[in-house]
């Protein structure tokens, strides 16, 4: 089944994102006989964001897919820079068409599926270049999932529903591609390029993890929960730990934990010191050696982003503009702003 045949199975979030815009006020004056008078009509219109230029002078803070009307189809992906400037990405396949995007942690690279060719593209917004990532033949038209390493050097790509899925690791610096020797899905990439993959065994309930380095595959393998393959970013920058949030791994749902990347044994589990924490929605990525970014709810439909130290539980809230409140459609870089 191709991408568009699966669209009916995609659930649409009930919280839609308001498009950021600058109000433009227009006044209309006219005369109506026999009594002369002045009537002023104030109308607010939305100023659309301009298309993304070849180069940007500042890094991307986040990308999102705003929708402003339940009855109308959504438009296109947007990116927002550190100063708050907003740009559209008109040639990116939309979220409604199963088109994901990824922003590199340094905020310089934007990866997305091209709307016409459905090839995976990387735009370098510092150099003004665009390149095509050579994904396996026949992946066009299938849902792809991809994510960057913490140092923005590597991009991992897989297509979990493709019948011949072989995940790849792309070197952004040299443009070389490593086809991973074991089929299926990426858990994350360390800064040295070591890629951790998961492979379904007898059923989707049993998944085996292993580490792939250039030229060899780790002999150390251990069972791992399938959901860890969703974000592509669960591996620490040094490749020693795999982070997870509580559900499904035998720890409280409000906990953040780490596994030893060689043995699969739990190393730590902490409850973030967040007032009113109701549940952790998802893991986002490793921010640095000790902190991870997580998506939480303090009560139903009140979503926030927090940086959490995996060793101490100390937490810091991340600021986002109000229009990005639907965090399911927000892709953030490491250029986040921490609330003081």
């Amino acid at each position: 089944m191709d991408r568009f045949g699966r669209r009916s199975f995609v659930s649409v979030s009930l919280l839609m994102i308001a498009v950021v815009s600058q109000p433009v006020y227009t006044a209309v004056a006219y005369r109506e006989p026999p009594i002369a008078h002045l009537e002023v009509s104030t109308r607010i219109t939305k100023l659309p964001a301009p298309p993304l230029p070849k180069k940007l002078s500042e890094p991307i803070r986040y990308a999102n897919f705003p929708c402003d009307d339940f009855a109308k189809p959504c438009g296109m992906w947007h990116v927002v820079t550190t100063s708050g400037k907003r740009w559209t990405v008109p040639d990116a396949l939309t979220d409604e068409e199963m088109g994901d995007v990824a922003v590199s942690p340094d905020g310089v690279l934007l990866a997305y599926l091209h709307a016409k060719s459905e090839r995976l593209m990387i735009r370098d917004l510092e150099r003004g270049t665009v390149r095509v990532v050579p994904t396996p033949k026949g992946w066009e038209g299938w849902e792809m999932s991809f994510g960057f390493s913490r140092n923005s050097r590597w991009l991992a790509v897989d297509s979990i529903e493709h019948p011949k899925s072989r995940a790849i690791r792309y070197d952004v610096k040299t443009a070389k591609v490593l086809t991973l020797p074991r089929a299926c899905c990426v858990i994350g990439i360390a800064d040295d390029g070591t890629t951790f993959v998961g492979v379904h065994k007898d059923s989707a309930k049993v998944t085996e993890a292993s580490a792939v380095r250039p030229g060899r595959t780790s002999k150390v393998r251990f069972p791992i929960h399938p959901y860890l393959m969703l974000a592509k970013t669960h591996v620490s920058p040094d490749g020693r730990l795999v982070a997870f949030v509580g559900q499904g791994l035998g720890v409280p749902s409000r906990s953040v934990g780490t596994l030893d990347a060689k043995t699969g044994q739990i190393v730590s589990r902490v409850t973030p010191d967040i007032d009113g924490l109701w549940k952790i929605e998802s893991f986002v990525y490793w921010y640095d050696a000790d902190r991870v970014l997580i998506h939480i709810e303090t009560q139903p439909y009140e979503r926030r982003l927090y940086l959490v130290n995996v060793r101490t539980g100390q937490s810091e809230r991340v600021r986002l503009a109000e229009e990005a409140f639907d965090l399911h459609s927000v892709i953030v870089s490491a250029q986040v702003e921490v609330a003081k």
Side-chain angles (χ1 to χ4, degrees), residues 3 22-23 29 31 51 59 74 76 102 143 146 199 238 240 282 318 339:
R3 180 195 312 282
Q22 178 178 349
R31 293 184 180 276
C74 301
M76 59 188 70
E143 183 178 358
F146 38 92
V199 182
D238 61 12
R240 296 180 179 181
S282 61
V318 171

Side-chain angles (χ1 to χ4, degrees), residues 110-273:
L110 180 69
Y112 59 90
L113 296 174
H114 193 269
K116 292 184 179 180
S117 69
E118 299 192 16
R119 300 294 302 275
L120 180 58
M121 318 289 290
I122 290 183
R123 292 183 65 169
D124 186 323
L125 295 166
E126 187 174 71
R127 294 180 174 87
T129 59
V130 181
R131 68 177 82 172
V132 176
V133 177
T135 54
K137 186 177 180 180
W139 275 19
E140 297 83 3
W142 289 81
E143 183 178 358
M144 295 185 209
S145 180
F146 38 92
F148 288 95
S149 60
R150 177 59 183 82
N151 63 357
S152 304
R153 168 76 183 268
W154 313 94
L155 181 75
V157 191
D158 60 39
S159 181
I160 191 170
E161 294 185 359
H162 194 280
K164 296 181 179 180
S165 175
R166 291 285 301 275
I168 67 170
R169 189 202 66 194
Y170 180 72
D171 188 335
V172 173
K173 184 177 180 179
T174 66
K176 291 182 179 180
V177 174
L178 173 68
T179 300
L180 301 179
R182 308 192 74 205
C184 200
C185 318
V186 175
I187 298 168
I189 322 172
D191 281 353
D192 66 357
T194 300
T195 308
F196 289 76
V197 295
V199 182
H200 292 319
K201 303 301 285 184
D202 298 332
S203 71
K205 295 181 181 179
V206 179
T207 303
E208 184 181 83
S210 64
V212 180
R213 295 174 177 84
R216 64 190 181 95
T217 301
S218 170
K219 295 181 180 179
V220 178
R221 298 170 186 168
F222 52 86
I224 200 165
H225 198 279
Y227 95 89
L228 288 175
M229 298 180 295
L230 298 179
K232 308 282 177 291
T233 53
H234 289 277
V235 176
S236 61
D238 61 12
R240 296 180 179 181
L241 298 173
V242 176
F244 64 93
V245 290
Q247 65 264 28
L249 288 172
V251 299
S253 62
R254 295 189 299 115
S255 295
V256 175
T258 58
L259 305 176
D260 186 305
K262 291 184 178 180
T263 66
Q265 298 299 309
I266 292 179
V267 174
S268 67
R269 61 186 81 180
V270 297
T271 300
D273 58 353

